[in-house]
Amino acid sequence: LLWCAMAYKPAANLEVCYITIDDKQYDCSKFKDFHPGGRQVLEQYHELDATDVFYAFHGKEAFAKLGNMKSVPKTFPVSPEAKAFREFRKKLEAEGWFESSKLWYLYKTTEVLGTTLLGLYLGAIGHWLIGAIVLGLGFQQQGWLSHDYCHQQVFENRRLNNFFAYLCGSICSGYSVNWWKERHNTHHAITNVFDSDPDIDNLPLFAWDEKDFPRVETVPGASSLIPYQHLYFLPWTPLLKLIWKLQSILFVRAKHSSAWEKVAVYEKACVLFHWTWLLSYCYYFMPTIGHSILFFVIAEFLGGAGIANIVFMNHYACDHPENMTTSFVSLQLATTVNIAPSTWMNWFSGGLNLQVEHHLFPTMPRHNLFTVRPLVQQFCKENGLPYQSRPFFECISVILAQLSKMSSAYIKYKSTQAL
C-alpha cells in the first residue's frame, strides 16, 4: 500500500507563471503558491488561454479578486466550438443551473452522515459484519459528498464549503482536502493529458498508454507488473481508499504552498482525528482483535471498491493527448465518458456517472446535472462534438480491454528493447 501511495510525485515548481483570462494576461508567479486550488493547475496553463478553465472552477468571489489583479492585454485565437461553449455556459448560468438547493444538500448530507453513523451503531451493538458493510457504503458516499463540497457546489461562501469538505472528507473519510484539491483540480483542467494529469500517472501498477512505456523501467517493480495489469485490476480496486488515505498522510507531513501552510495545522488535526476515532472504535467496540481487523478491512475495502469502480470508468480508456493543443470543451469531451444513468447508478455513483456534464461544469450542483444532460447532448450534436456514454458493465469491459491491450503492447515493446 505504501509503495502504491508513494508512486504519485508532485510536478516541478515553475519560477514564472503567466496565464490569460478574457484577453488579459496575469503574472501569477507569486500568487500561485497562495492559490487555494494548488499551484499545479496554474502552472499547467502557463502561457496559455485559461479563460474556460477559470470560469469552470470559480464563482463570484474569485472574479472579484481577479478584478483587483494587474494585467496586460493578451489575445489568443478562439475556436468555433469554444465560442459556442462560452455562449452555452452563459445560457445555463442565466437559467439558474449553477444555483444549489440547500434543502437537497441538507437531505443528502443527513443521509450520508446517517449511513455512516448507522454502520458504527450496528457494529457497536454486536452486528459487526453488517455494520462494516454499511460503514463501507457510508465511506463511499462520504467521498462523493466531500467531492461536491470541495468543488464549491453547495454554498457561495468558500469557507462554508471547506468546513463540510473537512468534515466529510478529512474527519469522516481520512483524506487530505488540500491533497485532493491540488491533484483533482489539475486533473479537471488538463484531463488525460499525458505526463500532466496526475490521475493517469498510475505506475508502477497501470500503464494506460504506450507513451508510458519508456518510463516503466524507471519505476521499481513496474516492468514485472504491467504485463498482468488486466488480471489484477479488479482485485486491486478495494485498496484505492487506503492508498488515498496513505497519500494524504504523506501530503500533510510534507511542506507545500503558502496556501497550504495557512491550514496545515487544521488539516493535520482532522486527518489525525479520523485515524484516532476509527482505530479507537475498532478496538473498543469489537469483541476481539481479529474482529477489529476484519471490521476495519471490510469497511475500507468496500468503500475503496465502491469508489474505484466509478472513478476508473470515466477517463482511463479515452484519449491521452500529449499536450494542450485543443480547447477546454474539446479536451473534456474527447477524454470523458458517462456511465449510463439510472436511479440506482445516479445514487450509487454520487452523480459522477454524469462525468461529461460534471467536467464541463465542475461547480454545477450534483442535483442539476441530470436536468442539464439533454441540453449538453443537444449542444454536442449541434456543434459536431462527441458525447460518450456507456452502460456500467460495458465501461468495465472497455477498461479491462484497454489494460489488456497495453499489457500485450508492453510485452512487445520490452522484447524489441532487448534486441
Side-chain angles (χ1 to χ4, degrees), residues 97-101 105 153-154 363-369:
W97 295 116
F98 289 86
E99 297 172 11
S100 69
S101 166
Y105 272 106
Q153 292 179 8
V154 186
T363 59
M364 182 176 287
R366 184 201 309 186
H367 54 79
N368 287 339
L369 296 176

Side-chain angles (χ1 to χ4, degrees), residues 192 315 318-321 326 329-337 386 388:
N192 272 26
H315 304 287
C318 296
D319 293 345
H320 301 97
T326 187
V329 61
S330 295
L331 176 68
Q332 301 306 324
L333 292 171
T335 58
T336 308
V337 60
Q388 304 180 77

Side-chain angles (χ1 to χ4, degrees), residues 28 81 96 122 186-187 193 217 226 231 256 273 285 353 391 410:
C28 297
E81 70 271 13
L122 289 170
T186 306
H187 157 71
V193 175
E217 297 298 329
I226 298 304
L231 301 177
H256 299 283
F273 182 60
F285 287 99
N353 56 322
Y410 177 68

Side-chain angles (χ1 to χ4, degrees), residues 210 252 254 303 320 396:
E210 292 185 17
V252 299
H320 301 97
I396 293 179

Side-chain angles (χ1 to χ4, degrees), residues 20 23-24 73-77:
T20 298
D23 297 329
K24 296 177 181 178
K74 176 81 173 182
T75 58
F76 283 86

Side-chain angles (χ1 to χ4, degrees), residues 114-177:
T115 302
T116 305
L117 291 173
L118 177 61
L120 294 173
Y121 172 74
L122 289 170
I125 63 173
H127 303 294
W128 67 269
L129 180 56
I130 190 170
I133 293 170
V134 174
L135 180 60
L137 182 61
F139 279 154
Q140 187 237 22
Q141 292 294 310
Q142 292 281 4
W144 308 145
L145 187 59
S146 59
H147 171 270
D148 291 0
Y149 283 114
C150 282
H151 269 302
Q152 312 295 316
Q153 292 179 8
V154 186
F155 303 106
E156 287 189 12
N157 186 299
R158 180 173 289 273
R159 289 186 177 181
L160 265 178
N161 285 313
N162 287 341
F163 171 81
F164 283 99
Y166 281 118
L167 174 63
C168 300
S170 299
I171 294 175
C172 291
S173 300
Y175 307 134
S176 158
V177 166

